[in-house]
Amino acid sequence: MITFLVSIVLLIVGYFTYGKYIEKMFGVKDERPTPAHDQRDNIDYVPMTTNKNSLIQLLNIAGVGPIFGPIMGALYGPVAFIWIVLGSIFAGAVHDYLTGMISIRNKGAHLPELAGKFLSNVMKHFVNVFTLLLLLLTGTVFVTSPALLLHSLMDGKIALGIIIFVIFLYYFLSTVLPIDKIIGKIYPIFGLILMISAIGIFVRLLMTGAEIPELTLKNMHPDSAPIFPLLFFTITCGALSGFHATQSPIISRTTNNEKNGRMIFYGMMIAEGIIAMIWAAAAMSLFGGYGGLQEVLAKGEAALVVSEASTMLLGSVFGTLAILGVIVLPITSGDTSFRSARMILADYFNFGQKKIWKRFAIAIPMFVISFILTRIDFTILWRYFSWANQTTATIALWVGVMYLLLANKNFYVALIPALFMTWNIFTYILSQPIGLGMDLTLSYWLSIGLTILWSMYFYYLYRKNSENNIELEHKIGLSTVSKY
C-alpha cells in the first residue's frame, strides 16, 4: 500500500515541479494568439475554457488504455508502478505537452504535418499513413468494445446490432459537427462518470486495506514474459502513448492561451497516470496473486477484471456505475479518433472543412471502411497496434527533440525518452513473433545499433533544418504568425 500511495503523490508532485519546469523551458507567450483565435472557423478552431479543454483532452487520450493496459501490466508486479510514474512524468506528459504546444505554434497542425516540417517530407507521408491506420483501427475497436460491454450490462435486452448502430451514429455526428456542439456539451457528463468511477475504486482500496504489493524490481509475471520490451507495450496510455499525439492537436485548436497548455496537456497525462495506478493496484490485490489475475484475464481479458473488481469493491449498484465509467473511455476516444482522422486527411489534401459537405466527403468513406472492418477478422493487423502506437509516440518525441534543438532549448527532456523508446520499438519488432522472432539478447544489441543509425540520420536532418534561418523562425514560432 505504501508504494501505491507514494506513487500517487509522486505523480501529483511531478505536475507541480517537472511540469512547471517543462512549461518554463518551452517558453509560453501569453500575448501570442492561439489557433483558436487567429484561425477560428467555429468548426474545429473554437476557443473553449481551460476546464472544458482539459476534460476533453483527458477523455480523448484515455480510451481503455489506462485501465486495460495497467491491468495486464499488473502481471509484472510493482515494477509496473515504476513505469507508470516515471513514464507519465518524464515521457508521456512531456510527449503530450510538446505535441500540443508545438501544434499550437504551427496553426494546430497534426503529427503528419509536424513530422514533415521538422523531420522530412518522407516522414510526413509515412506518418500520415501510419496515424490514419492507427486512428481507423482505434475507432473501429472502440465501436465494438463498448457495444459488447453495454450489451452485457443490459443482459442482452437490446440487440448488439442496434447498440453498434447508435454508437456509429454518435461517432459520425461528433466527427462532422462543430466540436463545441456535441463533444463540448456531452463530455462533462462523461467526465463526471469517469471521476466517480476512479475515485470510488481508489477510496474502496484504502477502506478495505487492499494488500497492494510493495516495491520490488523482480519480474512477477507467471509466464516470465520479459519486462524489456514487453511492459512498455503493455502499459501505454497510462505512461506513454502515441495515440495521444493524434489527440492533442484537436485541443490545440481550441486552447485560449498558451499558458493553459500545462494544465491541458501535461496535467491530463498525469491524471491518466493516476487512473492507471488505481487499476493496476486493484488488479494486483484482488485476485489472490498474479496467478489468480492471469486466470481471470484468460477467461475474459481485462474487461472481466474491471467487472469483477468494480463489483467486489463497490457492490452491484456503484459497481455498475464504475463499469459505465470504463465504457465511457473507449466511446470518448473513438469519437475523436474519427474526428482526428478527418482533420488529418483534410490537412493532407488541403481540403477546407468549413462547409459541411466537405466534412461529409471525408467522413462517409471513413465510416464505410470502419463498418467493413467490424464485419471481418482483423486480429492479425490488430496485433501490431501496440507497436504502431509506441512507434507513433517515438516519432512525436523526435519531433519534440528537433523543435527544442532548433529553438536552442533543453532538448534532453525529449531526447532521453526518445532514445529509450527507439531502442524499445526496434527490440520489440526484432524479437517478438509478430516481427522477426529473433533471440531477445541479440535483439537488444541489434536495436542499439539501429538506434545509433537513426540518431545519425536525425543529426543530418538537424543540420539541414538549421541551415535556413528564415524557415527556422517559422518552424519554432519566433515569427508572429507560424507558417503552415
Side-chain angles (χ1 to χ4, degrees):
M1 181 69 80
I2 294 176
T3 299
F4 169 63
L5 294 176
V6 169
S7 297
I8 298 289
V9 171
L10 287 174
L11 285 166
I12 296 170
V13 171
Y15 169 74
F16 289 103
T17 55
Y18 198 66
K20 183 66 176 177
Y21 168 74
I22 294 296
E23 178 187 53
K24 185 177 180 180
M25 178 275 299
F26 186 85
V28 297
K29 299 177 181 179
D30 291 356
E31 72 283 358
R32 181 187 177 89
T34 60
H37 294 284
D38 64 8
Q39 303 294 313
R40 183 168 185 165
D41 62 2
N42 293 324
I43 305 298
D44 298 316
Y45 295 88
V46 184
M48 293 196 293
T49 65
T50 303
N51 288 339
K52 185 171 285 189
N53 278 327
S54 298
L55 188 58
I56 293 173
Q57 173 72 1
L58 175 60
L59 291 170
N60 283 358
I61 65 176
V64 292
I67 296 178
F68 286 11
I71 285 173
M72 293 184 285
L75 289 171
Y76 291 90
V79 69
F81 292 157
I82 299 175
W83 170 230
I84 293 172
V85 173
L86 296 182
S88 294
I89 295 172
F90 298 106
V94 173
H95 166 280
D96 291 10
Y97 182 82
L98 290 178
T99 304
M101 294 303 293
I102 295 171
S103 176
I104 286 176
R105 291 281 174 91
N106 288 271
K107 292 191 176 181
H110 276 268
L111 183 60
E113 193 70 26
L114 295 177
K117 180 171 287 190
F118 290 97
L119 298 178
S120 67
N121 280 328
V122 172
M123 287 298 295
K124 174 183 177 178
H125 302 310
F126 171 76
V127 174
N128 194 72
V129 173
F130 214 67
T131 53
L132 284 172
L133 180 61
L134 186 69
L135 288 167
L136 198 58
L137 284 172
T138 303
T140 302
V141 169
F142 286 174
V143 171
T144 54
S145 63
L148 289 168
L149 284 170
L150 283 169
H151 183 67
S152 174
L153 198 61
M154 293 183 286
D155 294 324
K157 293 178 181 178
I158 298 179
L160 181 61
I162 293 176
I163 297 174
I164 289 175
F165 173 77
V166 171
I167 293 175
F168 257 123
L169 179 62
Y170 164 70
Y171 282 1
F172 185 82
L173 292 174
S174 61
T175 296
V176 299
L177 292 179
I179 192 169
D180 59 336
K181 299 305 180 187
I182 291 185
I183 292 176
K185 285 184 169 57
I186 202 170
Y187 270 40
I189 300 171
F190 286 162
L192 180 62
I193 295 173
L194 171 61
M195 294 303 175
I196 292 174
S197 170
I199 292 172
I201 297 295
F202 174 73
V203 171
R204 288 298 294 166
L205 283 173
L206 298 182
M207 289 178 63
T208 58
E211 295 183 3
I212 303 170
E214 300 300 347
L215 182 63
T216 175
L217 297 180
K218 184 179 179 181
N219 184 358
M220 308 301 292
H221 200 289
D223 294 332
S224 299
I227 292 174
F228 294 94
L230 294 187
L231 177 62
F232 309 97
F233 292 83
T234 303
I235 301 178
T236 56
C237 281
L240 171 68
S241 169
F243 179 70
H244 298 191
T246 69
Q247 301 301 293
S248 293
I250 296 177
I251 305 304
S252 76
R253 299 183 181 196
T254 61
T255 301
N256 258 311
N257 193 292
E258 285 192 359
K259 67 182 179 182
N260 305 143
R262 180 163 68 100
M263 175 69 174
I264 295 169
F265 302 117
Y266 196 100
M268 292 307 100
M269 179 62 239
I270 295 298
E272 188 180 35
I274 292 172
I275 294 171
M277 282 293 306
I278 291 170
W279 281 101
M284 288 183 203
S285 62
L286 296 177
F287 299 97
Y290 304 104
L293 173 60
Q294 189 180 44
E295 288 179 12
V296 177
L297 284 170
K299 292 177 184 176
E301 299 184 348
L304 184 58
V305 176
V306 170
S307 179
E308 291 197 13
S310 298
T311 304
M312 288 167 64
L313 288 170
L314 301 174
S316 58
V317 176
F318 290 103
T320 299
L321 186 62
I323 295 169
L324 283 173
V326 175
I327 294 172
V328 158
L329 289 174
I331 290 176
T332 55
S333 289
D335 55 8
T336 50
S337 291
F338 287 113
R339 189 178 187 92
S340 179
R342 172 183 65 76
M343 293 160 68
I344 288 173
L345 281 169
D347 291 348
Y348 189 74
F349 293 108
N350 195 24
F351 195 62
Q353 295 291 280
K354 194 160 188 178
K355 294 181 179 179
I356 194 166
W357 73 265
K358 291 188 174 183
R359 283 170 263 151
F360 272 68
I362 294 177
I364 290 174
M366 278 196 321
F367 278 91
V368 169
I369 294 171
S370 180
F371 177 75
I372 293 171
L373 285 175
T374 65
R375 315 302 296 176
I376 64 175
D377 182 8
F378 58 101
T379 305
I380 294 176
L381 190 60
W382 184 250
R383 289 175 189 169
Y384 292 88
F385 177 82
S386 290
W387 180 79
N389 185 42
Q390 295 305 68
T391 300
T392 303
T394 305
I395 292 169
L397 283 168
W398 282 111
V399 168
V401 175
M402 184 66 78
Y403 178 92
L404 296 175
L405 267 169
L406 296 175
N408 197 28
K409 297 180 183 296
N410 179 11
F411 61 91
Y412 289 104
V413 299
L415 177 64
I416 293 172
L419 286 171
F420 177 71
M421 288 308 300
T422 301
W423 174 67
N424 262 300
I425 62 172
F426 281 136
T427 301
Y428 186 87
I429 204 66
L430 288 176
S431 64
Q432 296 308 299
I434 67 167
L436 298 181
M438 298 172 60
D439 175 74
L440 185 59
T441 302
L442 178 60
S443 298
Y444 288 151
W445 288 105
L446 286 176
S447 297
I448 291 174
L450 289 171
T451 301
I452 292 172
L453 287 175
W454 164 257
S455 300
M456 292 170 63
Y457 176 63
F458 179 83
Y459 181 73
Y460 161 76
L461 294 176
Y462 163 65
R463 297 293 298 176
K464 187 177 179 181
N465 268 324
S466 60
E467 289 173 358
N468 191 332
N469 291 329
I470 296 176
E471 180 68 18
L472 177 59
E473 286 190 358
H474 290 300
K475 284 186 176 182
I476 64 176
L478 291 178
S479 57
T480 304
V481 180
S482 301
K483 184 179 180 182
Y484 188 72

